[in-house]
């Protein structure tokens, strides 16, 4: 779901995805690096000829065989690295190079490019002053923010049931303009404390609010619907919340432990994509929904 939202495609049978987009590699918790392609050639010999044009005078470098492509023996991988590295004009440094060049063996050719490794900033977000035991993990929260707002520029988002602010923290760390509301004052206090812990000004970001009474509109909403024993929703209440989602945002990512397709139809929400997230026996369903049909908002 996140790949479709960010790139408009998915990597079906490969561990890599080819795209003209140059998104920061740390946007997605499922991306290890971005390879900025410099050269591609049918054979390793021909790639070596192209690599000889690369001038890295005064800079150190190393060549790293990427295991996302065709697998080879350990000796074969090192030999490929040596053959390409020997053709590059620069100073080899295997420990702390200025530039790391990625060597990828695809089914049809060989590729050489600059590696941009992801910095897993979301790992630091696991340690919060406040959290729910059943709250969204940082990885899932980050993915949901990406699905809801794949292009942050000029977009405003809301998490109207923000809980302890897991989604807010991930969204803010990616530059997404987002606010959070929750009907529970305890959750709001916890979310504000968590935001301050990571250096965010919580003054205007988080506040007490009922999703059914919110004013204004947003470009996207991310809603983890209440589900545990203390907050079981009646069908009427659930549909009222979904209708409120449709009212405040034309696009939303919804999370629930219950099937909601019939509820979507009742309130005029159209499913654009869907999936599941599992943690042991605990399964959450995720939908991307739209309140617009053929450019006209559903009534």
């Amino acid at each position: 779901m996140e790949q479709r939202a960010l790139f408009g495609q998915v990597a079906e049978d490969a561990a890599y995805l080819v795209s003209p987009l140059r998104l920061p590699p740390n946007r997605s918790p499922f991306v290890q690096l971005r390879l900025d392609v410099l050269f591609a050639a049918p054979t390793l010999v021909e790639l070596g000829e192209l690599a000889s044009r690369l001038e890295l005078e005064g800079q150190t470098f190393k060549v790293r065989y990427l295991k996302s492509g065709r697998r080879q023996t350990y000796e074969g991988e090192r030999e490929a690295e040596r053959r390409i590295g020997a053709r590059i004009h620069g100073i080899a440094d295997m420990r702390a190079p200025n530039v790391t060049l990625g060597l990828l063996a695809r089914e049809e050719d060989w590729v050489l490019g600059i590696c941009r490794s992801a910095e897993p900033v979301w790992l630091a977000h696991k340690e919060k002053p406040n959290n729910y035991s059943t709250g969204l993990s940082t990885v899932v929260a980050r993915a949901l923010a990406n699905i809801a707002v794949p292009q942050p520029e000029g977009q405003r988002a809301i998490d109207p049931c923000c809980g302890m602010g897991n989604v807010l923290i991930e969204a803010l760390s990616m530059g997404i303009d987002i606010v959070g509301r929750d009907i529970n004052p305890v959750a709001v206090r916890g979310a504000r404390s968590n935001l301050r812990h990571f250096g965010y000004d919580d003054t205007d970001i988080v506040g007490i609010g009922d999703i059914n009474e919110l004013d204004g509109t947003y470009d996207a909403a991310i809603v983890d619907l209440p589900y545990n024993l203390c907050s079981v929703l009646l069908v009427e209440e659930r549909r009222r919340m979904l209708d409120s989602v449709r009212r405040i945002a034309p696009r939303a990512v919804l999370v629930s432990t219950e099937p909601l397709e019939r509820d979507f139809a009742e309130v005029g929400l159209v499913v654009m994509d869907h999936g599941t997230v599992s943690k042991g026996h605990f399964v959450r369903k995720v939908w991307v929904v739209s309140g617009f049909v053929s450019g006209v908002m559903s009534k």
Side-chain angles (χ1 to χ4, degrees), residues 112-130:
L112 184 69
I114 299 176
C115 290
R116 313 287 186 188
S117 296
E119 297 181 11
V121 297
W122 56 91
L123 291 179
H125 299 159
K126 288 184 176 181
E127 302 302 323
K128 303 178 182 69
N130 307 279

Side-chain angles (χ1 to χ4, degrees), residues 169-209:
I169 291 166
E170 297 309 317
L172 290 168
S173 73
M174 295 186 287
I176 296 174
D177 183 3
I178 191 169
V179 296
R181 300 290 182 265
D182 202 287
I183 198 171
N184 185 347
V186 175
V188 170
R189 287 196 296 270
R192 285 176 172 170
S193 174
N194 286 339
L195 287 171
R196 290 193 298 270
H197 179 76
F198 293 111
Y200 297 109
D201 182 0
D202 64 284
T203 306
D204 298 320
I205 296 176
V206 183
I208 296 175

